[in-house]
């Protein structure tokens, strides 16, 4: 089975991060959801943790590219990275459509 880590860079997304994390975890196709809290001041990291994500908290905002790089550096060595926006909410579950060819060894 392919080990997939979803990296979710997030800056002040407390209103959507819990639904995004929950949707990703419910797919069963993602081994870990790693939220990179990019200097949020609204409780994004805490909400992500409660939803089941592992959170890497950055001391200050370094931007999406820096947050993704921090996520990759913190993720270990998965077979596949999936980059997901924090504001997707429940629609994040559709990410499995992107993963399907990889999971079925067709990519």
């Amino acid at each position: 089975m392919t080990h997939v880590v979803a990296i979710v860079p997030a800056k002040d997304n407390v209103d959507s991060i819990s639904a995004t994390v929950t949707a990703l975890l419910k797919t069963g196709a993602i081994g870990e959801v790693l939220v990179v809290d990019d200097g949020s001041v609204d409780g994004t990291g805490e909400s992500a943790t409660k939803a089941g994500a592992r959170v890497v908290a950055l001391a200050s905002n370094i931007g999406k590219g820096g947050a993704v790089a921090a996520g990759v550096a913190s993720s270990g060595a998965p077979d596949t990275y999936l980059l997901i926006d924090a504001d997707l909410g429940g629609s994040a579950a559709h990410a499995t459509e992107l993963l399907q060819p990889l999971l079925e060894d067709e990519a």
Side-chain angles (χ1 to χ4, degrees):
M1 176 94 187
T2 300
H3 180 65
V4 178
V5 172
I7 296 177
V8 185
K11 169 74 169 122
D12 295 327
N13 291 107
V14 72
D15 292 337
S16 58
I17 194 65
S18 179
T20 300
V21 170
T22 299
L24 290 169
L25 290 173
K26 282 185 176 180
T27 67
I30 296 166
E32 179 179 28
V33 177
L34 176 60
V35 172
V36 182
D37 184 351
D38 194 13
S40 296
V41 296
D42 67 349
T44 294
E46 293 86 356
S47 183
T49 298
K50 287 179 184 176
R54 180 163 66 97
V55 175
V56 173
L58 303 178
S60 62
N61 179 258
I62 62 172
K64 190 171 189 173
V68 169
V72 169
S74 299
S75 67
D79 298 316
T80 303
Y81 293 104
L82 177 66
L83 304 180
I84 294 290
D85 287 342
D87 62 354
L88 292 179
S91 68
H94 295 292
T96 57
E97 295 170 27
L98 298 171
L99 290 173
Q100 209 59 40
L102 291 171
L103 298 175
E104 295 175 0
D105 201 24
E106 295 176 358

